[in-house]
Amino acid sequence: MLVALQNPLPFLVAGLVNGAIYALAALGLVFAYRVSGTINFAHGALGMFAAFVYWQFNVEWGLPALLAVPLVGFVLPALFGVACERVVFSRLVNSTIFARTSATVALLLVLLGLADHFWGGQFIAVPSFFPKRLVSLPGVVVSAQQIGVIAVSAAMVVALVAILKYTRLGLEVRAVVDRRDLAELRGVAAQRIDTTAWAISFVVAALSGILLAPLTGSDSTKLTLVVVYSLVAVAIGGMHSLPRTVAGGVAIGLLDSLFLGYMPQGTATASARGVLPFALMLIAVLVQARRLGLTNGGEGRQGIRSLLSDLGMRLGEVRPREVKPLGIAVALLLLFVVKLVFGDFWLFLIGTGIAYGIIFLSFQLFTSATGLVSLAQGAFAGTGAFATAILVGRGFPWGIAVLGGVMVAAALGVVVALPTARVRGIFMVLATLAFAQLIQTTAFTNSAVIGGRALGGSNGGRPLPRPAGFDGTLQFTLLCFAVFVGAALVSVQVRRSSLGRALRADASSRAGAMSIGIRPQLGRLAIFVVSAAIAGLGGALLAASSVFVFAST
């Protein structure tokens, strides 16, 4: 049954309010990206943390909103942005997407940890600093809060666009974006521009969180995930276009609100609503990547060298490291020493770490072979774990079940690779992130996959016992170690193969690779499949180490 075949204006107003905040947050992301080339995945977490700090100042400590908003919305985030730029991001100016993205993810985790430490378990209701008043308009009644949010967001959007287009700061920002080296020769202080851009981006993130929290509630996860809707708008804008970014943010807010108001209520609709932003992000990323020509290539020789350096590897003239028998023997000896000296608990932790290592090995294989970053490896690992648990639960032998789980993960790798095999750079990061979240919101919330109850219930879970003969901690840890060594050997052989050499040649020089007939698409497809299979294998072993697999893990 449809919920609302009635006046659409309330849903349009609600969507416009949320869309205005998404557009504002997206502009903050674009502002930092245009200067640094970094997508700040901590953008939503910054907004969440600012909202909680505002609550602390305004509600707990009684600071009037007239003072708390400027302090928490402008002064503190600007100072924090300056500190982060000077301490972290300035050191990554010449690094690659891998290093810069990792830094923002680390910041996200730090902010989530701090929020849990200071406010975990507390009921937090972030108040609105607008008056509690209703205004009657033709066909709809709106609150002063909604009007205020739209007004503040619009004012900030206009201010940001004006800064970039009509001020000397904006001119210097554009100069640094176009040619940093030439801008510095003309006397532009690129370091100052970087610092200013990050400070402005952090201020926008903080204001977005303070504006959004009274409307959506103060759940830290929900507030952090506002970055997802903002990333959709950023992708629609092609990472650079301010008008398209603003239009994309408003459109996402309106679409989400109308979807909520006019679709049948139930778990299916809730699941579809969760899928919507990631599906839109994926479509926008693929369309914009083709429109801007960000396909069929790596990041150039310097970029791939820097990326592999971040990972402790080098390109071309240095061959992949071999798996040394002496190293294997020493590792085995250490496992027995841990068993004798420290007992099963520490051995269990080591076994779990080795299973994680297999998953990380899949990431390393993909990145070292292609020079690109995939954020879908965790989804491949979870797919392998659940597929294995389902097959074991249906009576298949453990080895056959693991093989089946690996094949399902590999098949999912094909699904991810086909539309993204030509995409590169930051668009590959966003595309694989969108795919990973689509898998999370479809498969990992489906009770048929995860077991138990899904949406609206528990996290679900499936048992995955260890294989017969490997029930003991030492035996299972040795099994994980043997699988890790085998996966490492496969990784080395893939990188040494003609496929691996062709991909390194393409990453080193796209034009040179094309001149000798190298086409990277099939190679990337193969690397996606192999790395997804390794991740699925690691996920199955990780789940078996704790004899249960949950959607939350």
Side-chain angles (χ1 to χ4, degrees):
M1 177 181 176
L2 294 180
V3 178
L5 291 174
Q6 46 187 322
N7 184 5
L9 289 179
F11 300 105
L12 291 175
V13 170
L16 187 60
V17 170
N18 288 336
I21 297 175
Y22 300 153
L24 176 61
L27 283 188
L29 285 170
V30 171
F31 207 95
Y33 178 80
R34 290 182 67 164
V35 173
S36 66
T38 302
I39 284 290
N40 183 10
F41 286 98
H43 202 71
L46 286 165
M48 172 273 298
F49 197 81
F52 286 4
V53 171
Y54 173 73
W55 174 86
Q56 186 72 37
F57 275 82
N58 181 242
V59 177
E60 289 293 288
W61 295 343
L63 187 68
L66 194 62
L67 297 176
V69 172
L71 178 64
V72 181
F74 290 90
V75 178
L76 293 181
L79 293 175
F80 188 44
V82 170
C84 286
E85 194 281 330
R86 292 295 176 88
V87 176
V88 180
F89 298 118
S90 64
R91 303 174 188 272
L92 302 175
V93 168
N94 297 317
S95 296
T96 58
I97 294 171
F98 176 80
R100 299 194 300 266
T101 300
S102 298
T104 64
V105 172
L107 178 60
L108 181 153
L109 296 175
V110 167
L111 291 172
L112 284 175
L114 288 174
D116 183 67
H117 174 74
F118 289 116
W119 299 288
Q122 296 187 58
F123 175 77
I124 296 177
V126 178
S128 172
F129 51 85
F130 297 106
K132 297 179 179 179
R133 186 181 306 163
L134 297 179
V135 179
S136 295
L137 298 177
V140 64
V141 176
V142 299
S143 66
Q145 179 184 4
Q146 291 175 316
I147 296 174
V149 166
I150 293 175
V152 170
S153 299
M156 288 295 297
V157 167
V158 171
L160 288 174
V161 173
I163 287 172
L164 281 175
K165 287 188 174 294
Y166 304 114
T167 66
R168 179 173 179 80
L169 173 62
L171 180 63
E172 292 178 340
V173 166
R174 297 198 301 275
V176 170
V177 170
D178 289 339
R179 286 293 300 271
R180 188 183 187 91
D181 51 349
L182 293 182
E184 290 178 332
L185 287 175
R186 294 296 301 270
V188 175
Q191 176 71 50
R192 176 178 60 83
I193 297 301
D194 291 345
T195 303
T196 303
W198 279 106
I200 291 174
S201 179
F202 275 43
V203 167
V204 172
L207 283 175
S208 300
I210 294 172
L211 290 173
L212 188 64
L215 298 171
T216 62
S218 303
D219 180 86
S220 60
T221 302
K222 289 182 179 179
L223 287 173
T224 300
L225 288 179
V226 70
V227 73
V228 172
Y229 292 91
S230 303
L231 283 173
V232 178
V234 170
I236 292 173
M239 319 300 295
H240 288 87
S241 172
L242 300 184
R244 281 199 299 269
T245 299
V246 172
V250 174
I252 292 302
L254 290 171
L255 188 59
D256 182 63
S257 182
L258 292 173
F259 192 92
L260 178 64
Y262 282 88
M263 291 299 291
Q265 298 298 294
T267 56
T269 297
S271 180
R273 189 183 177 213
V275 167
L276 182 64
F278 303 110
L280 292 173
M281 183 196 298
L282 179 61
I283 294 169
V285 164
L286 297 179
V287 169
Q288 290 291 355
R290 289 184 178 278
R291 189 183 70 83
L292 298 173
L294 296 176
T295 58
N296 292 332
E299 296 186 359
R301 187 172 184 83
Q302 187 59 41
I304 183 67
R305 283 185 182 281
S306 178
L307 175 58
L308 298 184
S309 176
D310 293 336
L311 294 170
M313 298 174 283
R314 286 182 288 174
L315 174 68
E317 65 272 19
V318 179
R319 295 176 181 175
R321 296 179 181 178
E322 297 181 356
V323 181
K324 301 291 182 66
L326 179 59
I328 296 174
V330 171
L332 287 173
L333 179 61
L334 289 176
L335 290 179
F336 282 102
V337 170
V338 170
K339 166 69 174 176
L340 292 174
V341 177
F342 298 103
D344 283 350
F345 176 73
W346 284 98
L347 198 62
F348 165 77
L349 294 180
I350 292 174
T352 302
I354 293 172
Y356 273 116
I358 297 170
I359 299 172
F360 296 148
L361 186 63
S362 75
F363 178 87
Q364 188 252 16
L365 169 62
F366 182 87
T367 301
S368 63
T370 65
L372 301 171
V373 177
S374 167
L375 298 184
Q377 304 307 112
F380 297 146
T383 300
F386 276 116
T388 301
I390 290 171
L391 292 174
V392 168
R394 294 185 177 181
F396 285 86
W398 203 89
I400 300 298
V402 169
L403 179 61
V406 168
M407 292 176 65
V408 172
L412 186 60
V414 174
V415 172
V416 176
L418 287 176
T420 62
R422 296 174 179 269
V423 177
R424 66 179 175 91
I426 190 63
F427 284 90
M428 175 64 82
V429 176
L430 293 179
T432 52
L433 171 65
F435 262 115
Q437 291 302 317
L438 282 172
I439 295 164
Q440 169 70 31
T441 54
T442 54
F444 297 164
T445 57
N446 188 331
S447 60
V449 175
I450 67 175
R453 298 172 61 192
L455 290 173
S458 68
N459 285 324
R462 290 185 180 275
L464 181 54
R466 297 173 181 177
F470 295 90
D471 304 83
T473 304
L474 177 61
Q475 293 90 331
F476 187 76
T477 302
L478 291 173
L479 173 63
C480 290
F481 181 74
V483 172
F484 178 85
V485 171
L489 288 170
V490 169
S491 176
V492 168
Q493 291 305 313
V494 168
R495 297 205 303 274
R496 281 181 171 176
S497 67
S498 59
L499 170 68
R501 292 195 300 271
L503 285 172
R504 290 200 300 277
D506 175 75
S508 182
S509 173
R510 173 63 182 157
M514 289 185 66
S515 69
I516 59 175
I518 292 177
R519 298 293 183 269
Q521 289 76 34
L522 289 178
R524 287 190 193 172
L525 175 62
I527 292 297
F528 253 118
V529 171
V530 174
S531 66
I534 292 175
L537 180 59
L541 290 173
L542 181 62
S545 68
S546 56
V547 301
F548 222 89
V549 54
F550 293 98
S552 58
T553 58

